[in-house]
Amino acid sequence: ETGAQRDEAAEAAAAVGRDQGWDQRYERIVRALSQGRLSESDAELLLRLLADLVRRMSALLPGRLEVHADLEQAVGSAALRAKVLSGAVDAADVSRLVAAVHGPLTQLVAPVQDGEVEEVRRAALAAGTPARMMALLLCRTDAILSETERLVQGQTQRGEGDKSST
């Protein structure tokens, strides 16, 4: 597989473009991460995906500045960036990311979704390889965030409709 093919696969995975199922994005991310040393574009893409999760979670928790800071620290560290660029991300690194994302994610979802969030944590930690752990974390968290954003948007639109009718 050439660098261009990896870039294309990684870009498709990044298209958190929600036009494919998370399982297809998952496989593309695993392939990109399993190449050993990532190309700079693959690494940048992975870091952008992580930053996008932080941005989306922060937007859904607007008043929780300490959560924003914790997420930024976990995802935006120079050490993590260097490890991603060198292909040296290990299970401990991904486990720390899983822990950093899990707490805020449980704050975002309805109590009925707590089991789903816990399953993401459990599955990511049990995935075996850092590539599969990261892919599960990114894809399953994306799916939960997409659903949460959809629900919030629906509530906002209903609230605006209520205001306009008074």
Side-chain angles (χ1 to χ4, degrees):
E1 189 171 297
T2 68
Q5 287 170 320
R6 277 197 318 276
D7 290 349
E8 182 181 38
E11 195 63 47
V16 182
R18 297 159 182 85
D19 59 331
Q20 301 175 349
W22 73 264
D23 54 331
Q24 292 170 334
R25 288 192 307 265
Y26 168 86
E27 289 303 325
R28 288 184 174 140
I29 293 168
V30 168
R31 276 196 307 273
L33 291 173
S34 296
Q35 299 300 317
R37 183 176 173 84
L38 296 176
S39 70
E40 190 162 339
S41 64
D42 285 347
E44 290 297 330
L45 178 61
L46 179 60
L47 293 169
R48 278 196 317 268
L49 286 170
L50 288 166
D52 184 56
L53 288 183
V54 169
R55 179 193 56 75
R56 293 168 67 198
M57 291 175 78
S58 294
L60 290 166
L61 291 167
R64 303 295 310 269
L65 299 181
E66 75 285 354
V67 171
H68 301 187
D70 290 346
L71 285 168
E72 284 291 336
Q73 182 179 6
V75 171
S77 75
L80 179 63
R81 179 176 172 70
K83 284 186 165 194
V84 168
L85 286 169
S86 68
V89 175
D90 60 21
D93 297 319
V94 183
S95 293
R96 283 189 290 277
L97 287 173
V98 169
V101 168
H102 181 260
L105 198 56
T106 60
Q107 295 173 33
L108 288 172
V109 300
V112 70
Q113 292 174 290
D114 285 346
E116 184 179 356
V117 172
E118 181 57 28
E119 175 58 21
V120 169
R121 185 192 70 76
R122 189 204 59 70
L125 293 176
T129 68
R132 291 194 179 283
M133 292 171 73
M134 183 71 79
L136 267 167
L137 175 66
L138 289 169
C139 293
R140 301 277 303 268
T141 301
D142 172 63
I144 291 170
L145 288 175
S146 294
E147 177 65 12
T148 303
E149 289 163 339
R150 187 185 65 72
L151 292 171
V152 168
Q153 183 179 19
Q155 289 174 346
T156 302
Q157 288 173 348
R158 277 196 307 276
E160 290 170 359
D162 293 345
K163 290 177 187 174
S164 65
S165 65
T166 57

